[in-house]
């Protein structure tokens, strides 16, 4: 898979994809992540990519031209594959595991990070395939959301996780996870549930299922609907 991330702040991405599972996924050639500076598609010498909003109001709006040009040039680099264009914005569809699963099957994703007061509406209307929000709060831009979305997608690409069975057991597919424990058996007097030490795999599986259901009922009853 190829993921291009278009941003006005490329330095924000130095680090998060250079560690652990996402780093190894790139080294294994399972995903190629490229950070693209929107200013590279500005047409004037000053690198202008934003302007004041028509009708007045505070802040600046990202111009359509650099975004259209950036997407066009990145799309043309992957001729065979159809790129999916995603805008990160608080007005998008709420991101969840199901969306991550669906997007992890794509060949090429282009993520556009909004900033300032927003992006010219014509980008939304005529360029973008999907708008995604990572939650009902407003961040300073789409950079952190692009990292969240990329992380959630990349770990689902076949071959990225060493134990892909874990994906089936983990939260949101469809229940929250059961409690996990590791050594020591007794920590400050708090003991690991007996059943987990029993070696009885059937009983352990049953206990985990019950715990997962109990936890989901208590914390996220909406997931059971
Ligand atoms: N940009 C600013 N806030 C955001 C959010 N919550 N989700 C996605 N993009 C954003």
């Amino acid at each position: 898979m190829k993921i291009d991330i278009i941003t006005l702040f490329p330095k924000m991405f130095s680090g998060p994809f250079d560690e652990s599972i996402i780093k190894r996924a790139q080294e294994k050639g399972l995903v190629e992540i490229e950070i693209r500076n929107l200013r590279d598609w500005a047409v004037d010498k000053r690198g202008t990519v934003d302007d004041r909003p028509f009708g007045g109001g505070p802040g600046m709006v990202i111009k359509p031209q650099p975004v259209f040009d950036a997407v066009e040039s990145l799309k043309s680099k992957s001729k065979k594959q159809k790129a999916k264009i995603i805008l990160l914005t608080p007005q998008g569809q709420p991101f969840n595991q199901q969306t991550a699963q669906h997007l992890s099957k794509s060949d090429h994703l282009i993520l556009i990070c909004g900033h300032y007061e927003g992006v010219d509406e014509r980008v939304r209307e005529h360029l973008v395939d999907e708008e995604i929000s990572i939650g009902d709060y407003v961040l300073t831009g789409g950079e952190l959301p692009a990292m969240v979305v990329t992380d959630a997608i990349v770990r689902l690409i076949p071959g990225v996780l060493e134990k892909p069975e874990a994906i089936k057991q983990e939260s949101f597919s469809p229940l929250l996870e059961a409690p996990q424990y590791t050594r020591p058996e007794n920590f400050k007097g708090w003991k690991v549930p007996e059943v987990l030490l029993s070696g009885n795999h059937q009983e352990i599986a049953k206990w985990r299922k019950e715990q997962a259901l109990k936890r989901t009922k208590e914390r996220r009853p909406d997931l059971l609907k």
Side-chain angles (χ1 to χ4, degrees):
M1 182 193 289
K2 172 93 185 264
I3 304 178
D4 284 300
I5 302 176
I6 303 174
T7 171
L8 277 167
F9 301 97
K11 271 197 287 189
M12 282 183 77
F13 292 86
S14 51
F17 301 137
D18 304 334
E19 298 281 356
S20 181
I21 294 171
I22 310 297
K23 179 184 181 190
R24 277 198 303 274
Q26 293 173 91
E27 286 169 353
K28 284 193 214 163
L30 297 169
V31 64
E32 196 184 331
I33 303 170
E34 299 276 4
I35 309 304
R36 312 289 187 176
N37 190 342
L38 184 63
R39 284 192 206 284
D40 292 347
W41 284 276
V43 283
D44 63 354
K45 283 212 182 92
R46 289 174 53 217
T48 309
V49 290
D50 55 2
D51 208 335
R52 286 167 308 175
F54 277 125
M60 300 293 269
V61 174
I62 297 180
K63 290 155 71 70
Q65 169 271 318
V67 185
F68 270 78
D69 288 354
V71 168
E72 272 316 308
S73 81
L74 296 172
K75 258 174 145 178
S76 68
K77 282 186 186 158
S78 64
K79 283 203 183 65
K80 273 196 303 211
Q81 307 145 353
K82 166 125 182 47
K84 184 165 267 175
I85 320 300
I86 296 169
L87 176 67
L88 285 314
T89 154
Q91 289 138 61
Q93 284 300 310
F95 187 61
N96 60 25
Q97 193 65 16
Q98 207 186 331
T99 312
Q101 239 136 24
H102 157 71
L103 292 175
S104 72
K105 299 184 175 89
S106 315
D107 291 320
H108 185 192
L109 297 174
I110 301 178
L111 307 185
I112 305 168
C113 306
H115 226 93
Y116 308 129
E117 286 309 301
V119 178
D120 187 286
E121 189 66 17
R122 288 160 291 189
V123 170
R124 284 207 157 84
E125 282 181 355
H126 305 293
L127 188 67
V128 162
D129 297 310
E130 283 182 40
E131 289 182 49
I132 290 179
S133 161
I134 62 158
D136 291 337
Y137 40 81
V138 181
L139 299 164
T140 54
E143 282 75 15
L144 289 168
M147 292 175 208
V148 168
V149 167
T150 300
D151 188 287
I153 291 170
V154 170
R155 64 188 288 289
L156 296 176
I157 297 172
V160 169
L161 292 187
E162 263 150 43
K163 293 209 172 127
E165 317 86 83
I167 290 177
K168 276 199 221 116
Q169 284 165 22
E170 72 196 6
S171 298
F172 304 110
S173 50
L175 299 178
L176 299 188
E177 259 172 87
Q180 297 278 18
Y181 297 88
T182 186
R183 266 166 278 274
E185 282 177 29
N186 184 336
F187 177 67
K188 295 183 190 276
W190 299 307
K191 296 197 183 111
V192 172
E194 210 56 56
V195 61
L196 296 178
L197 312 172
S198 69
N200 183 334
H201 295 292
Q202 231 173 336
E203 280 302 308
I204 292 171
K206 186 166 157 260
W207 180 85
R208 283 190 170 143
K209 220 175 191 168
E210 287 163 2
Q211 291 294 315
L213 191 60
K214 178 167 172 274
R215 187 166 271 196
T216 310
K217 267 188 191 150
E218 282 165 7
R219 298 185 185 189
R220 294 291 307 275
D222 56 298
L223 293 176
L224 295 169
K225 278 184 201 130

